[in-house]
Amino acid sequence: MHWNKSPLLLLLCTAVLTVPGTARGQETTFSPEAKQKAEALLKQMTLDEKVGQLNQSAGLVLPGLADQKPDDLIAAGGAGSILWQMNAAEINRLQHIAVEKSRLHIPILFGFDVIHGYRTVFPVPLAMASSWDPSVEEQAQHLAAEDSRAAGIQWTFTPMVDIARDARWGRIVEGAGEDPYLGSAMARAQVRGFQGDNLNPQSVLVCVKHFAGYGAADGGRDYDASYIPEELMENVYLAPFHAAEEAGAGSFMSAYMDLNDVPASGNHWLLTDVLRNDWGFQGIVLSDAFAVGSLITHGYARDGEDAAHKAVTAGLNMDMASLTYSKNLAKLVKDGKISESAVDALVLPVLEAKYDLGLFEHPYVDESKVDSILSRPEGLVLERKLAARSMVLLRNEDHALPLSKDLKKVAVIGPLADSGHDIEGGWTVEGLFGPGSKSHPVTVYAGIKNKLPSAQVTLVTGPEISRIYPGLLDMLSGRKPVPPPTAAEAAEWIAKAKAAASDADVVVAVLGEISSMSSESASRATLDLPGIQQQMLETVVATGKPVVLVLENGRPLDIRWASEHVPAILEAWYPGTEGGDAVADVLFGEVNPGGKLPLSWPRVAGAEPLYYNHNLTHEPEDRPNFTSRYWDINSKPLYPFGYGLSYTDFKFSNLHIGKNAQSAADSNEVTVDVTNTGSVAGDAVAQLYIHQRYGSASRPVRQLEGFERIALKPGETRTVKFVLGENELHFWSPQTRKWVVEPSAFDVWAGGDSTAPLHGEFTVTQ
Ligand code: BGC
C-alpha cells in the first residue's frame, strides 16, 4: 500500500481526459414501431384518457385502499396500469373491461413485485449477488419472467439496485450489497433476464428501483432522508442504475425518501437532469407506492395539486396508487399550469411499452395453463442449483465441513430450522399478497432428512422468534405479533436443545432472522441474533459436539462469538423454495460452496456504515496512533467484502500488467493465474481491485473493477484476464464536475477478496 501525498496533485486539473457524455447509443428505450403506433393512438385520446394512462391503480387486492369502483374506473379508461392483483381470472376479467368497454380499447399493464421468483422462489437478491455470478440472476429472472407472463403480470418492480452500506437498513436484503461494480453487473443481468435483448411479447418490463439514494437512509431507518453529495451519487449510488439503463431497462421507480432535502419523487435533478438528460432514458418513471401523494407528507407539496405539479415537472410519468394524478392533472392542464404536450410526453412511453409487450394483440392470460407453468419441476431444479451457488462458507475450522453421509444422529436446532415461511424470504408473490403460497418450501430440517434417509434427525426449534411490532410483510402475510418466551419456557427449550445435542453426532444450528425482519420498513438498531438463539447456540457448543451454524438472514448479523467458537458457519441467506435441499447439498459436500460476500461483514451495528471502498484518511488505520478506529472493537470487518471459503484452496499468482504506463485513452490488460491447490474441484472468484494514488480527489483505498467466477479441478490453473480502460479508471471528479481519467499512479491487486495481497502498479500518462 502506498500512502502517496504527491505534489503532482496540483497538475491534475490541467492534464485529464474528460470522458464524453455517457448517454446510451440506442435511440429509444422502446421500438420505433411501438413509437409510431403510440403516437397515432395518442392523437385520438382525450385529456382524461391520457391522465388515466398515468394512473397505476391499487386497491384491487388490499381492501379499503381504493376510493373508486375498479370496474368503472377501468371502463372510463382511468387505469393505465394495475398493481397488487395476481389472480389470473381477475386479471382477465379486468382486462376484458379495459379492452371491450373502454373507448379506445387500451389494455391494462399489470405490475407486481416479482422480486426473486413467482411460485418457485429463488434466493433473495442479496444471496444471488453472493454468487458473484451474474448468470445466476439472469437464469432466475428469466424463469420468473416466463412465470409472470403466464400468470398475467407484464411489469415487475425489480431489480432493486440500491447500494446499501448499512446493514441496519432492512432493504439491504433486496439488493446486491455495497459495491457499485458488482451491483452494476447484477443489475444488467436482471434486466437481461426479464426483458431479454429487447422488450417483446414474452418478456417482462423491469422497473429499476428505488431511484435513487434510498439505501443511504439516515441511521439505516427505512424511508428516512438521505444526504449524498453529488460525487458520491455519481461514483457509487447511481452506478448500478446507469448500468441497468444502459442494458435497456424500460422503467424506473422513484424512491420514497428526501434526497438532499428534495423528495426523490419530485426531484427534477434525479428524474430529468440525470436520468433523461445525462443518460438519455426515454422510458417510464413510476412513483413508489403512494409517493406522489406523500410529497405532501414530506412537507414539500402544499396539496394534491401541488404534488401532481411537482411530480410531473420533475419528470415522473406514472403515479403508483396515490390517485394524485387522477384527481389533479386534468385541472392543472386546464388551468394552464402544465401543458398538454407535457402530459403527452409522459403518456407516450406507457403506450409504447404496451405495444412492445404485445398487449394489444394478446391481452389475456390462458388461465388453464397458469398452475402447471408456475409449478414446473425444471424451475425447482434450477432453484436448488442457484441456491447452492449463492451460499457463502464463512468458517470451516479443521475441515469440519463437509459432513459425512454416514452420520447416524443429527440434531437440528433453531427457530428457522423448519420454517417454510422464512426460507423463501420476504417477497413471495403468492404468500405475501395472494390467497396463500402454493409452493412447498423445503426447510433445512427436511433437506437433512432427505439427504440422510436412515439417520435419526432430531428437531428442536426453540421458541418462535418474538416480534412485538408486526413488520410490514408480517401484516401483508397475516403473521401476528409473537411475545418473547417466559423465563421458564426459554429454560425448557434450552434444556431440550442441550439434550438433543448431547445425543447427536453432529449439531446443525439454523439461526438468523425471520424473513420479515429484513425488508421494507424493517430496520434494526442491533445486529444481534434475535430471541434466545445465542443462548441456544452457546448451549449446544458447550456439549462438545461438532456444531455447524447455518445462517438464514437478510443482513449480516453479530456473530462474533460464533466466529470464534463454532467450527463451521455457512451463510445461506434466504435460499428459496428448494433451500433446505440446497443447504444439505453444500453441508454434505455434493456442492462445493463458491459464493463470496457482497458486503463487508460488520462486527456490531455501531460500526455501520462500514464498506471496503472507503477513502484513505488523514491517518490511515494501520498507523500506530491517531488512527481512524474504535477504542472498543476491531474496526475492520469480521469478514471482508468478497470473502468466502471453499472445500478446496486456491492460489493466486503471476499478476501481470500489460503496460507499465498507458495513456488516459488507452486500456491495459491485467492477467492473474488461479490454481486449485486442493484435492477437490471448486469455484474461485478472481477479483481485481484498483486504487488511484493521487488526483483531483481522494479515491477509495480499493475499488473492485473486475471479477470472474471460475470452476477449477484439483491441480488446475487458469489465467484470468481483466481489462482496465476508461470505464474502470474514470471517476466523477467533484472539482471538475466531470467524468475523468486522470494521470496518476495506480495500484492493482488481484485475489480472492478485497484484502488480496498480490499487488502490481502502473501509471496513466496524459
Ligand atoms: C415498495 C416498492 C414496491 C412497491 C409496490 C413499495 O412499498 O417500496 O419496492 O415495489 O411497494 O409493491
Side-chain angles (χ1 to χ4, degrees):
M1 180 80 67
H2 301 261
W3 314 116
N4 200 321
K5 295 178 181 170
S6 167
L8 268 180
L9 173 67
L10 299 172
L11 292 176
L12 280 167
C13 291
T14 52
V16 295
L17 173 79
T18 299
V19 181
T22 44
R24 43 186 283 152
Q26 203 176 312
E27 277 291 292
T28 54
T29 301
F30 303 115
S31 71
E33 300 75 43
K35 187 170 191 200
Q36 254 181 13
K37 290 180 189 165
E39 280 170 347
L41 180 57
L42 196 59
K43 290 203 179 96
Q44 304 170 48
M45 291 170 75
T46 63
L47 178 58
D48 284 342
E49 284 165 342
K50 290 173 188 173
V51 172
Q53 289 302 309
L54 303 181
N55 174 36
Q56 183 172 65
S57 200
L60 305 176
V61 161
L62 301 178
L65 289 179
D67 64 355
Q68 187 179 5
K69 281 236 163 49
D71 295 14
D72 300 344
L73 183 77
I74 293 165
S81 177
I82 287 177
L83 87 157
W84 298 327
Q85 176 52 258
M86 37 70 68
N87 177 307
E90 181 63 4
I91 285 175
N92 271 346
R93 192 186 74 77
L94 298 170
Q95 192 70 294
H96 273 287
I97 300 175
V99 171
E100 287 154 22
K101 299 206 175 134
S102 76
R103 193 179 71 89
L104 291 172
H105 315 290
I106 304 175
I108 297 166
L109 182 53
F110 286 92
F112 214 103
D113 294 279
V114 184
I115 308 293
H116 49 107
Y118 205 101
R119 183 172 300 165
T120 294
V121 182
F122 288 102
V124 290
L126 191 63
M128 289 203 266
S130 304
S131 70
W132 285 60
D133 175 4
S135 81
V136 164
E137 285 276 22
E138 189 170 344
Q139 293 173 73
Q141 302 303 34
H142 181 70
L143 191 119
E146 290 177 344
D147 285 358
S148 305
R149 281 310 293 251
I153 303 300
Q154 308 94 19
W155 193 3
T156 180
F157 308 135
T158 207
M160 190 198 97
V161 304
D162 295 308
I163 296 287
R165 293 171 152 188
D166 188 336
R168 292 172 299 175
W169 188 56
R171 302 200 79 168
I172 192 171
V173 66
E174 296 175 56
E178 73 186 31
D179 185 64
Y181 188 92
L182 180 66
S184 297
M186 294 298 162
R188 282 189 285 268
Q190 296 197 64
V191 175
R192 278 195 306 274
F194 274 112
Q195 291 193 175
D197 289 338
N198 291 103
L199 214 57
N200 62 67
Q202 279 76 48
S203 63
V204 168
L205 175 65
V206 296
C207 191
V208 188
K209 68 188 188 185
H210 303 84
F211 196 61
Y214 187 38
D218 262 3
R221 291 177 299 272
D222 200 15
Y223 311 134
D224 217 329
S226 296
Y227 289 94
I228 312 176
E230 198 172 353
E231 59 272 20
L232 196 56
M233 282 301 285
E234 295 283 1
N235 289 317
V236 176
Y237 285 92
L238 289 175
F241 287 96
H242 196 186
E245 194 277 331
E246 288 187 315
S251 81
F252 273 58
M253 182 186 293
S254 67
Y256 277 133
M257 80 304 149
D258 282 347
L259 174 68
N260 303 330
D261 288 345
V262 181
S265 298
N267 191 314
H268 188 274
W269 178 76
L270 271 177
L271 306 188
T272 296
D273 297 348
V274 172
L275 183 58
R276 296 185 197 277
N277 296 346
D278 287 358
W279 300 354
F281 178 70
Q282 299 186 23
I284 304 165
V285 177
L286 171 71
S287 76
D288 202 339
F290 310 103
V292 177
S294 64
L295 292 178
I296 308 168
T297 326
H298 276 272
Y300 180 58
R302 185 188 60 239
D303 51 22
E305 196 178 310
D306 192 29
H309 187 260
K310 286 195 159 113
V312 163
T313 47
L316 189 139
N317 302 71
M318 193 183 278
D319 170 8
M320 184 194 281
S322 86
L323 297 171
T324 310
Y325 277 13
S326 299
K327 289 177 185 160
N328 298 286
L329 210 47
K331 179 170 183 300
L332 283 166
V333 173
K334 282 173 199 147
D335 292 350
K337 292 185 181 151
I338 289 175
S339 69
E340 188 154 351
S341 61
V343 174
D344 288 354
L346 298 179
V347 177
L348 197 66
V350 177
L351 299 176
E352 288 176 282
K354 292 183 179 186
Y355 279 113
D356 273 344
L357 288 163
L359 278 178
F360 284 87
E361 291 83 23
H362 303 289
Y364 306 115
V365 186
D366 184 345
E367 288 166 46
S368 68
K369 293 207 176 119
V370 177
D371 246 0
S372 61
I373 293 180
L374 293 185
S375 305
R376 284 177 292 167
E378 61 263 38
L380 297 174
V381 173
L382 180 67
E383 203 294 298
R384 180 169 177 170
K385 186 175 115 193
L386 302 186
R389 212 168 162 74
S390 302
M391 291 175 196
V392 187
L393 184 62
L394 295 176
R395 185 171 151 92
N396 197 18
E397 290 302 288
D398 302 325
H399 303 284
L401 289 176
L403 299 173
S404 157
K405 280 197 217 148
D406 297 331
L407 288 173
K408 296 282 174 287
K409 289 180 179 180
V410 180
V412 184
I413 308 284
L416 296 159
D418 198 31
S419 169
H421 188 106
D422 292 298
I423 201 158
E424 292 190 325
W427 285 107
T428 54
V429 175
E430 292 180 306
L432 196 56
F433 294 95
S437 177
K438 290 190 190 155
S439 86
H440 302 285
V442 181
T443 65
V444 174
Y445 170 58
I448 291 174
K449 283 197 299 180
N450 291 343
K451 201 63 88 190
L452 305 178
S454 45
Q456 174 193 313
V457 184
T458 310
L459 173 70
V460 180
T461 61
E464 211 179 326
I465 294 174
S466 62
R467 1 178 225 291
I468 313 296
Y469 307 109
L472 182 74
L473 300 187
D474 289 332
M475 183 194 92
L476 293 172
S477 62
R479 271 185 156 186
K480 301 273 177 308
V482 173
T486 62
E489 283 164 349
E492 201 178 312
W493 279 115
I494 297 286
K496 280 188 192 162
K498 185 174 176 186
S502 307
D503 187 41
D505 305 326
V506 162
V507 182
V508 178
V510 189
L511 309 180
E513 300 176 309
I514 53 168
S515 52
S516 57
M517 289 182 87
S518 55
S519 56
E520 186 173 347
S521 182
S523 303
R524 293 188 62 199
T526 81
L527 301 176
D528 299 348
L529 281 167
I532 64 162
Q533 295 184 95
Q534 181 68 30
Q535 268 173 281
M536 289 182 83
L537 185 62
E538 292 184 19
T539 302
V540 296
V541 168
T543 63
K545 293 296 171 80
V547 179
V548 176
L549 170 60
V550 175
L551 290 169
E552 266 183 40
N553 47 332
R555 54 159 65 81
L557 296 170
D558 179 351
I559 52 164
R560 284 174 295 166
W561 187 88
S563 74
E564 288 175 10
H565 298 97
V566 181
I569 307 176
L570 178 69
E571 175 55 89
W573 306 113
Y574 299 115
T577 307
E578 291 287 298
D581 278 333
V583 165
D585 289 343
V586 172
L587 294 184
F588 292 91
E590 283 170 30
V591 174
N592 187 350
K596 309 286 165 195
L597 290 176
L599 42 78
S600 305
W601 193 289
R603 290 163 198 269
V604 289
E608 295 286 52
L610 180 69
Y611 46 94
Y612 83 97
N613 48 357
H614 58 83
N615 287 358
L616 289 167
T617 66
H618 158 68
E619 291 284 359
E621 57 196 319
D622 56 357
R623 296 274 173 93
N625 294 307
F626 299 113
T627 62
S628 166
R629 67 174 180 211
Y630 297 109
W631 268 110
D632 39 5
I633 60 156
N634 180 331
S635 60
K636 293 213 163 72
L638 186 62
Y639 301 112
F641 174 80
Y643 168 87
L645 301 172
S646 163
Y647 296 152
T648 187
D649 294 307
F650 299 102
K651 188 179 103 201
F652 290 80
S653 60
N654 293 332
L655 176 63
H656 179 77
I657 299 174
K659 296 167 197 154
N660 289 332
Q662 68 169 83
S663 75
D666 203 357
S667 63
N668 211 338
E669 201 173 280
V670 178
T671 56
V672 66
D673 291 346
V674 192
T675 306
N676 180 345
T677 57
S679 54
V680 291
D683 285 7
V685 178
Q687 303 169 34
L688 185 82
Y689 295 87
I690 66 163
H691 166 60
Q692 179 177 332
R693 285 191 206 153
Y694 46 84
S696 66
S698 303
R699 301 296 301 140
V701 287
R702 289 188 184 201
Q703 61 188 96
L704 182 72
E705 289 299 340
F707 68 89
E708 189 179 345
R709 181 166 172 160
I710 52 171
L712 292 172
K713 298 193 193 76
E716 188 183 347
T717 297
R718 262 185 56 191
T719 302
V720 180
K721 187 174 94 182
F722 301 102
V723 174
L724 291 177
E726 181 187 305
N727 280 341
E728 290 72 29
L729 301 176
H730 73 176
F731 72 101
W732 196 93
S733 167
Q735 301 227 57
T736 59
R737 302 193 69 243
K738 285 193 170 62
W739 288 92
V740 289
V741 177
E742 295 182 336
S744 183
F746 283 81
D747 297 293
V748 176
W749 295 268
D753 67 45
S754 57
T755 64
L758 190 61
H759 176 259
E761 56 190 68
F762 69 98
T763 54
V764 169
T765 57
Q766 289 179 37

